[in-house]
Amino acid sequence: MAITDLPRTIQWVDGTVHMIDQTRLPLTGDLLVVNTVEGMVTAITSLAVRGAPAIGAAGALGVALWSQTVGKDMPAADDAYLDSANAACDALANARPTAVNLPREVENQRARLLADAAAGRTPAEIHEKLVAAAVQVCADDEAANRALGAHGAALFEGPTNFLTHCNAGSLATSFYGTALGVIYAAFEQGKVNHVWVDETRPVNQGGRLTAWELLVAGVPSTLICDNMAATVMREGWVDAVVVGADRICANGDTANKIGTLGVAVLAREFGVPFYIAAPWTTIDMNTACGADIVIEERDPREIEGITVTGGIEPDSASLTMGLDALTRDGVADLPLTKGHTMQIRRKGGAYAFDGWFKNTPTHVRVFNPAFDVTPAEYIAGIITERGVFAPDALGDALG
Ligand code: MRU
């Protein structure tokens, strides 16, 4: 059990992108091989890859995929080439609206491509550079996380009880994590007593991903429902809250997973310092304040029911024959009552299932914002690879 046992979240492998399918964690550790821009957009919107720095990497790698599958074989970096590149960049940049890392990394790739095309480089030459740049985004992200982890760990003196919300761990980045990066660095220094993990309804990034990561890394932790955070703080069992960020505005207002604002308000009420941990790429000096952030609203079904995925390992020839027959033409949709859905597909020598079970009334009205904004005044410090800053001092840090 160690941080080194965690998988690489996303990486370029032989002209394709390999990622851990986070919709299936922690019950199945599926590797998703993505080899088209359309596949990458689906991976981002479906949350197979998620977390601000990880979708930034996905955006950069997505542009490299466009080049791999379309651009590099075009005869010249002409208008047709640029039209195709721009369409791919637009689709990737707009896949999710809130985290700034995604459009930032896609626009960096687009700018590179446009400059090289204007300079008369060939599609093959541009391809080399796009792939190298995307690989570098992943490496830089890990380096930033390790550096911010060290800065964050230095804030704490002795064994500390942390609370975190959502997953700002290794899985939300190329590797290591932001909020969990701080916790991993503190753990290596013997400064972690315990970590409280908010479940993070409705998609359960805390319960599914953070709880799993901390177990793999050997960090002592306890999972709680979101509505239990007040109790553990009231009991005095939390010394510090550390969470990640999707977009930090020029004035320090910070968007993060829905529920973060509630945790920040509780932390202030109970006198617990509330920290944001994020790489500099999550800071958006072009967005003045939280009111200017577009908050993603997601599918109501995330609230109307629960998703369960898993595998079937048949233990008899007759069951195997039945499942083979069911999945002969691909994905089998089983007829279920009450609006539930169940799909079964072949997977290697076994079978995988995806179930969605409705547990709310039919026609219920649902509001499902994926993020909220914590005002700067609730934030004790923003932990970055450049050091720890007061939320109103980000501009000064730029010099
Ligand atoms: O919807 P998600 O899972 O992409 O939301 C992720 C978060 O809100 C994280 O806390 C944030 O991106 C920081 S990840 C280092």
Side-chain angles (χ1 to χ4, degrees):
M1 286 194 310
I3 170 92
T4 46
D5 293 329
L6 289 168
R8 291 261 141 203
T9 306
I10 181 165
Q11 57 189 330
W12 183 261
V13 180
D14 295 336
T16 65
V17 176
H18 286 195
M19 63 175 74
I20 299 297
D21 184 349
Q22 299 190 36
T23 62
R24 291 165 180 281
L25 283 174
L27 298 178
T28 24
D30 282 5
L31 181 73
L32 197 61
V33 179
V34 180
N35 46 26
T36 61
V37 168
E38 295 72 25
M40 185 60 90
V41 169
T42 302
I44 294 169
T45 54
S46 69
L47 308 185
V49 59
R50 34 73 43 206
I55 61 173
L61 290 161
V63 179
L65 269 183
W66 166 80
S67 178
Q68 174 77 31
T69 52
V70 180
K72 86 172 175 0
D73 297 322
M74 292 180 82
D78 54 11
D79 284 351
Y81 175 92
L82 295 180
D83 286 350
S84 174
N86 280 322
C89 289
D90 291 347
L92 287 162
N94 295 325
R96 293 187 77 189
T98 304
V100 70
N101 304 62
L102 174 60
R104 182 190 298 286
E105 301 301 350
V106 173
E107 296 311 333
N108 284 345
Q109 288 283 60
R110 191 195 316 246
R112 233 167 246 131
L113 182 151
L114 293 177
D116 284 347
R121 298 223 157 76
T122 65
E125 288 167 340
I126 299 173
H127 178 67
E128 295 298 313
K129 293 177 77 175
L130 292 175
V131 172
V135 170
Q136 194 61 45
V137 166
C138 299
D140 290 349
D141 178 41
E142 179 180 347
N145 296 333
R146 289 185 183 275
L148 75 84
H151 285 300
L155 292 168
F156 308 103
E157 280 170 9
T160 302
N161 297 301
F162 292 95
L163 182 141
T164 192
H165 188 78
C166 191
N167 174 265
S170 191
L171 290 165
T173 65
S174 296
F175 195 72
Y176 203 70
T178 61
L180 292 195
V182 171
I183 288 170
Y184 293 141
F187 182 65
E188 278 162 20
Q189 297 168 18
K191 292 181 182 171
V192 175
N193 190 52
H194 199 79
V195 183
W196 296 99
V197 179
D198 276 0
E199 179 185 37
T200 318
R201 281 278 293 149
V203 180
N204 292 355
Q205 288 94 334
R208 293 186 305 109
L209 308 176
T210 299
W212 179 78
E213 269 199 35
L214 293 174
L215 282 168
V216 172
V219 180
S221 62
T222 300
L223 176 63
I224 54 173
C225 299
D226 301 326
N227 53 9
M228 299 169 190
T231 291
V232 295
M233 286 196 213
R234 175 85 173 79
E235 292 290 341
W237 295 338
V238 180
D239 303 314
V241 174
V242 189
V243 298
D246 289 88
R247 190 182 294 248
I248 302 171
C249 302
N251 74 343
D253 289 354
T254 296
N256 191 48
K257 178 51 54 193
I258 190 74
T260 302
L261 171 60
V263 175
V265 171
L266 288 173
R268 170 183 272 196
E269 173 68 20
F270 294 116
V272 174
F274 175 93
Y275 293 100
I276 298 289
W280 205 261
T281 48
T282 303
I283 297 172
D284 177 13
M285 296 308 274
N286 295 321
T287 299
C289 66
D292 298 336
I293 298 176
V294 176
I295 300 292
E296 176 183 3
E297 272 191 53
R298 292 188 59 84
D299 191 330
R301 287 161 47 101
E302 289 180 351
I303 295 181
E304 290 168 7
I306 55 163
T307 300
V308 181
T309 66
I312 307 170
E313 290 179 3
D315 57 359
S316 68
S318 57
L319 187 50
T320 302
M321 276 171 58
L323 286 164
D324 272 347
L326 258 181
T327 56
R328 190 173 40 227
D329 298 325
V331 179
D333 274 303
L334 297 197
L336 302 185
T337 61
K338 314 273 185 207
H340 307 320
T341 64
M342 171 69 77
Q343 295 186 326
I344 300 182
R345 57 174 62 80
R346 271 186 229 202
K347 179 136 193 306
Y351 307 83
F353 66 82
D354 295 298
W356 180 78
F357 301 102
K358 189 167 166 59
N359 58 5
T360 55
T362 303
H363 304 311
V364 69
R365 189 179 296 174
V366 163
F367 174 49
N368 187 17
F371 302 95
D372 59 26
V373 176
T374 299
E377 70 213 66
Y378 288 85
I379 300 169
I382 297 181
I383 304 167
T384 77
E385 69 274 31
R386 301 184 191 184
V388 182
F389 298 93
D392 60 359
L394 292 171
D396 304 345
L398 289 173

